[in-house]
Amino acid sequence: MPQDTQENGNKKNNLSEANRAIWLVKVPKYLGKLWDKSPSEMEVATIRIQKPAISSEPFKVSLSLTPELMELEPDSPIASEHELKLCKTTEGTNLTGIFSTLDNEEQSIEGWITHKMQCLPVYNTQYLKMKEHYLRSAKPPRRVKPLNHIVKNYKPVSSHAHNKDDCKRKDGPKMLSKDNIMDLLFQAFEKHQYYTLKDLQFITKQSVFVLKAILKDIGDYNKDPAHKKMWELKEEYRHY
């Protein structure tokens, strides 16, 4: 048995409670705030320890809040029934001690932590009401905001102009066969006798090199001042 007091320099250590076992319990925030509000002389809860039917099972520990504590928050529904679940047993390991001081003179040991537990509310109607209350209070209320200007509405567009331009750049002009290009050229020359190379390129959507190779076979390049730098069909291909 340890001595009741022990000298430590100029301070005295009170060891009268050195053999006391302490449970370290983690409680929910709402319960901790409620206990902080309560007066020091108020009874805040009752702990019940139920012996299990089978010896190998752990004890069932429940915590019930007192009606006096519940009256401190009459407008907020709070779960009164809780269950203490064992998280860790520190027996056989290095124990953690709890100390207190009185007027910074005498230091007292309050006991050693032997069990670490967690306080959880019992899942019942009271708990569901508390949960619903906290969820509703967490959401900001909806407010109607008047507008002093006209809001411009935009109709949805399936494909924007810049997307179409990108598709055209990616796809590029399709390469046609020589027969298809000649058909397009003949159709064009049925409408007009003379065309510039640039106009024929716009009509056929083909490259300049491909058009020049075909036009040399079926067309003549005019150097006459009236139709300078324009193409027309050779005589054997003309039907006009």
Side-chain angles (χ1 to χ4, degrees):
M1 292 291 290
Q3 298 178 0
D4 290 344
T5 59
Q6 182 180 355
E7 295 288 340
N8 185 10
N10 296 328
K11 295 183 180 181
K12 292 183 179 181
N13 293 332
N14 186 358
L15 306 179
S16 58
E17 301 293 345
N19 292 329
R20 185 168 65 173
I22 295 178
W23 293 355
L24 181 63
V25 182
K26 182 180 179 181
V27 299
K29 287 184 179 180
Y30 66 88
L31 190 54
K33 291 179 180 179
L34 200 60
W35 283 352
D36 288 339
K37 285 184 178 181
S38 62
S40 58
E41 68 276 1
M42 177 185 289
E43 183 179 345
V44 294
T46 303
I47 293 180
R48 296 183 180 88
I49 301 176
Q50 184 178 352
K51 190 176 181 180
I54 304 174
S55 58
S56 59
E57 293 182 356
F59 285 85
K60 185 177 180 181
V61 184
S62 61
L63 183 142
S64 301
L65 303 183
T66 60
E68 293 81 10
L69 184 70
M70 301 286 288
E71 289 177 358
L72 295 178
E73 292 286 343
D75 299 330
S76 301
I78 297 174
S80 61
E81 298 297 327
H82 297 76
E83 183 180 0
L84 300 183
K85 288 191 175 182
L86 181 64
C87 298
K88 187 178 180 182
T89 305
T90 58
E91 293 179 358
T93 59
N94 294 328
L95 300 179
T96 303
I98 305 296
F99 293 86
S100 63
T101 57
L102 182 63
D103 298 331
N104 294 327
E105 293 182 359
E106 184 177 301
Q107 188 174 13
S108 303
I109 182 170
E110 302 295 337
W112 300 90
I113 297 174
T114 57
H115 294 77
K116 293 183 179 181
M117 311 185 80
Q118 189 173 9
C119 180
L120 299 174
V122 176
Y123 190 85
N124 53 18
T125 308
Q126 202 175 27
Y127 167 75
L128 293 176
K129 288 182 179 180
M130 180 187 70
K131 196 73 175 177
E132 183 181 3
H133 174 76
Y134 277 101
L135 290 175
R136 287 184 176 180
S137 60
K139 292 182 179 179
R142 294 183 178 181
R143 297 179 180 178
V144 178
K145 184 178 180 181
L147 299 176
N148 299 324
H149 59 279
I150 299 174
V151 180
K152 188 175 180 180
N153 295 326
Y154 295 92
K155 293 182 179 180
V157 179
S158 59
S159 181
H160 295 275
H162 61 272
N163 293 334
K164 293 179 181 178
D165 294 338
D166 291 341
C167 292
K168 288 180 181 178
R169 293 193 199 99
K170 292 177 182 178
D171 296 340
K174 294 182 179 179
M175 186 65 184
L176 301 176
S177 64
K178 184 177 180 180
D179 294 336
N180 291 334
I181 297 173
M182 290 178 64
D183 291 339
L184 292 174
L185 292 173
F186 288 142
Q187 291 175 10
F189 280 109
E190 287 178 1
K191 298 177 182 178
H192 300 283
Q193 184 178 355
Y194 300 98
Y195 281 97
T196 61
L197 185 61
K198 187 177 180 181
D199 292 335
L200 293 175
Q201 185 184 7
F202 178 78
I203 293 170
T204 58
K205 301 293 189 298
Q206 300 300 306
S207 65
V208 176
F209 302 102
V210 175
L211 282 176
K212 278 187 176 181
I214 297 174
L215 287 171
K216 286 179 181 178
D217 295 336
I218 65 172
D220 291 328
Y221 186 70
N222 281 288
K223 297 181 180 180
D224 186 63
H227 304 286
K228 193 175 182 180
K229 297 183 180 181
M230 298 184 76
W231 289 86
E232 67 173 334
L233 290 176
K234 291 182 178 180
E235 292 184 2
E236 58 266 30
Y237 295 106
R238 298 174 188 172
H239 299 288
Y240 45 82

